[in-house]
């Protein structure tokens, strides 16, 4: 009889301690063998890989969060593709991806590689990767920032209609509520604390003003006395303070291991917790439990990424964009395609005036007229 990794793990955990100690070696060995078989099954069932870009096939941007992917997509990919050839947005609802839309030529989402099973056979894939430590820090900072704003919202707050909501986009749909709950819990525990009347806080206001503030007396001062200077609180450590979960604690949480530790590798393998493949959870368990499974899956990810048409790196963004333009034959000196948005009053006149060196009434030079014609073509696209 064959059982899954998850079932075997549950049985082993449920055994009484004495029995478990007698069968520990057997359970571990069996589970590792199951993992090896599961990896073999993964390789045989998910053989579809990325194809080279031919100029006509679909481009899928596998957007790994916190890798400058939004900048790369908005400033490099979208302007190179006519609006009529861009697929519908799919960041906030991965299940609605539909490549059957006529002329769907560029698709971007936080989806993992498992989406390849729903895309055309000749899809070309590109991605951006980042140093794992830098990416983890960036994800922590961003999740805390968004969650803090949510926690301070007034009752009855409503999002703008049709707006893309960050906490509805994977993985923020998990991380933002996690931190919001933590922040609200910490705020509640500190509500009844009375501020020390002797403590002062240094304030660097967004408008540029710098002063000191005493919360107990609700008083601000430009200059403090020597005695008061001794009671100025130290600057808040953004990675270790009472207002939200410190970084060192978050690193050890299940959600951090599930979404961020080895997150880039999981996304390339198609086994995130948003995967379209049923074996994803068990494969993640195998990778975190056995070095042999980690090495085997890591080798698969390295081989897979070599099939991608382009792979950029965050800390060399400009060079990555240049390399992507060359690999996709996007002319960097050509016009950029604008988004299809209804024109506002004065837009056309503003565009023309911007390229007129002598004001709106002066005749433009031949070079300026050529540039204006490009602007009109972009706006008409």
């Amino acid at each position: 009889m064959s059982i899954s990794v998850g079932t075997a793990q549950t049985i082993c955990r449920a055994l009484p301690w004495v029995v478990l100690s007698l069968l520990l070696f057997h359970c571990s060995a069996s589970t590792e063998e199951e993992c090896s078989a599961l990896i073999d099954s993964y390789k045989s069932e998910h053989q579809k890989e990325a194809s080279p870009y031919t100029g006509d096939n679909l481009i899928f941007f596998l957007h790994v969060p916190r890798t400058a992917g939004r900048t790369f997509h908005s400033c490099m990919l979208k302007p190179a593709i006519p609006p009529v050839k861009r697929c519908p947005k799919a960041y906030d609802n991965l299940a609605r991806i539909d490549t059957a839309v006529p002329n769907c030529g560029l698709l971007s989402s936080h989806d993992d590689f498992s989406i390849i099973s729903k895309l055309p056979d000749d899809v070309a894939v590109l991605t951006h990767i980042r140093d794992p430590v830098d990416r983890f820090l960036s994800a922590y900072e961003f999740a805390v920032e968004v969650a803090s704003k949510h926690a301070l919202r007034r009752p009855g707050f409503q999002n703008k209609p049709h707006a893309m909501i960050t906490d509805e986009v994977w993985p923020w749909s998990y991380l933002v509520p996690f931190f919001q709950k933590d922040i609200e819990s910490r705020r509640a525990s500190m509500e009844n604390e009375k501020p020390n009347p002797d403590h002062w806080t240094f304030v660097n206001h967004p408008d540029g003003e710098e002063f000191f503030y005493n919360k107990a007396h609700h008083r601000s001062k430009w200059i403090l006395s020597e005695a008061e200077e001794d009671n100025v609180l130290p600057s808040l450590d953004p990675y270790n303070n009472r207002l939200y979960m410190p970084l060192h604690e978050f690193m050890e949480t299940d959600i951090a291991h599930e979404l961020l530790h080895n997150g880039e590798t999981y996304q390339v393998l198609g086994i995130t917790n948003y995967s379209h493949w049923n074996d994803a959870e068990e494969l993640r368990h195998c990778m975190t439990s056995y070095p042999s499974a980690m090495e085997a899956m890591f080798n698969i990810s390295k081989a897979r990424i070599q099939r991608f048409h382009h792979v950029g790196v965050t800390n060399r963004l400009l060079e990555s964009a240049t390399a992507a333009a060359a690999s996709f034959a996007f002319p960097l000196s050509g016009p950029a395609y604008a988004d299809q948005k209804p024109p506002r009053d004065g837009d056309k006149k503003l565009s023309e005036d911007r390229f007129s060196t002598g004001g709106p009434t002066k005749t433009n030079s031949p070079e300026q007229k050529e540039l204006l014609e490009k602007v009109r073509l972009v706006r008409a696209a």
Side-chain angles (χ1 to χ4, degrees):
M1 180 181 69
S2 176
I3 59 175
S4 69
V5 175
T7 304
Q9 185 183 24
T10 301
I11 293 174
C12 287
R13 286 177 175 174
L15 291 173
W17 176 249
V18 175
V19 179
L20 178 60
S21 63
L22 295 174
L23 299 180
L24 182 60
F25 175 78
H26 175 74
C27 284
S28 299
S30 175
T31 304
E32 189 168 11
E33 291 172 1
E34 289 285 338
C35 284
S36 178
L38 185 64
I39 293 172
D40 289 339
S41 175
Y42 169 88
K43 290 189 289 187
S44 63
E45 291 181 10
H46 310 307
Q47 294 187 15
K48 182 178 177 180
E49 299 291 346
S51 298
Y53 181 62
T54 64
D56 296 319
N57 52 332
L58 172 66
I59 300 172
F60 172 57
F61 178 44
L62 193 156
H63 183 175
V64 178
R66 310 314 295 171
T67 61
R70 182 175 181 179
T71 299
F72 181 77
H73 177 248
S74 300
C75 301
M76 174 64 195
L77 290 178
K78 285 179 65 178
I81 304 294
V84 294
K85 293 192 66 176
R86 299 173 194 162
C87 308
K89 293 181 179 179
Y91 275 94
D92 56 342
N93 190 350
L94 305 182
R96 75 180 183 199
I97 290 177
D98 182 12
T99 59
V101 175
N103 298 321
C104 179
L106 173 64
L107 175 67
S108 176
S109 81
H110 282 322
D111 224 322
D112 63 26
F113 190 78
S114 66
I115 190 63
I116 202 82
S117 60
K118 299 180 179 294
L119 301 181
D121 291 339
D122 63 344
V123 59
V125 180
L126 73 155
T127 192
H128 255 244
I129 56 177
R130 186 178 185 179
D131 178 277
V133 175
D134 291 342
R135 197 181 83 90
F136 191 100
L137 288 173
S138 180
Y140 172 79
E141 293 165 355
F142 182 71
V144 167
E145 177 188 356
V146 177
S148 299
K149 292 177 180 178
H150 286 14
L152 295 174
R153 284 175 174 172
R154 296 177 179 177
F157 173 86
Q158 292 184 346
N159 291 300
K160 295 180 180 179
H162 311 298
M164 185 178 295
I165 313 304
T166 300
D167 48 338
E168 293 180 359
V169 177
W170 183 91
W172 316 120
S173 53
Y174 292 89
L175 291 170
V176 170
F178 172 84
F179 276 107
Q180 183 175 348
K181 182 179 179 181
D182 172 74
I183 291 170
E184 290 173 347
S185 174
R186 290 168 183 265
R187 285 184 65 196
S189 67
M190 293 186 287
E191 276 185 355
N192 296 325
E193 293 183 4
K194 295 183 178 180
N196 189 319
D198 295 327
H199 284 170
W200 290 85
T201 303
F202 175 74
V203 179
N204 189 343
H205 199 271
D207 64 8
E209 299 287 355
E210 295 182 351
F211 55 91
F212 298 92
Y213 177 69
N214 184 299
K215 185 176 181 179
H217 298 293
H218 193 54
R219 182 184 178 192
S220 299
K221 295 181 70 173
W222 299 109
I223 301 174
L224 300 180
S225 66
E226 290 186 7
E228 290 171 332
E229 286 181 351
D230 293 335
N231 289 313
V232 175
L233 295 173
S235 299
L236 193 70
D237 184 344
Y239 300 109
N240 187 14
N241 62 75
R242 298 176 60 203
L243 302 180
Y244 49 83
M245 183 177 292
L247 175 64
H248 66 274
E249 291 183 18
F250 174 66
M251 290 171 57
E252 303 301 326
T253 61
D254 290 340
I255 195 171
H257 283 276
E258 181 82 354
L259 296 173
L260 298 177
H261 291 292
N262 293 312
E264 291 174 289
T265 302
Y266 289 165
Q267 212 163 340
V268 171
L269 288 169
I271 60 171
T272 67
N273 67 341
Y274 219 125
S275 176
H276 297 271
W277 293 337
N278 295 328
D279 51 4
E281 183 177 359
E282 290 182 325
L283 284 164
R284 293 197 306 274
H285 161 72
C286 289
M287 290 178 67
T288 56
S289 300
Y290 302 105
S292 60
M294 175 66 77
E295 182 179 5
M297 294 298 290
F298 184 60
N299 288 335
I300 294 173
S301 70
K302 288 194 297 182
R304 171 165 293 156
I305 208 168
Q306 292 178 12
R307 301 284 297 272
F308 288 6
H309 193 77
H310 169 77
V311 178
V313 288
T314 305
N315 64 329
R316 300 178 70 176
L317 186 58
L318 181 59
E319 295 163 272
S320 296
T322 304
S327 64
F328 285 97
F330 294 154
L332 292 178
S333 59
Y337 293 99
D339 288 336
Q340 286 183 314
K341 295 181 179 179
R344 297 173 297 179
D345 292 340
D347 276 3
K348 182 177 181 180
K349 184 177 185 300
L350 178 61
S351 298
E352 294 179 352
D353 291 351
R354 190 171 296 164
F355 293 100
S356 176
T357 57
T361 60
K362 185 174 179 178
T363 303
N364 294 307
S365 68
E367 293 79 10
Q368 291 170 334
K369 288 181 178 179
E370 182 181 355
L371 188 55
L372 282 172
E373 183 59 26
K374 289 183 178 180
V375 173
R376 293 190 185 98
L377 289 174
V378 169
R379 295 186 60 81

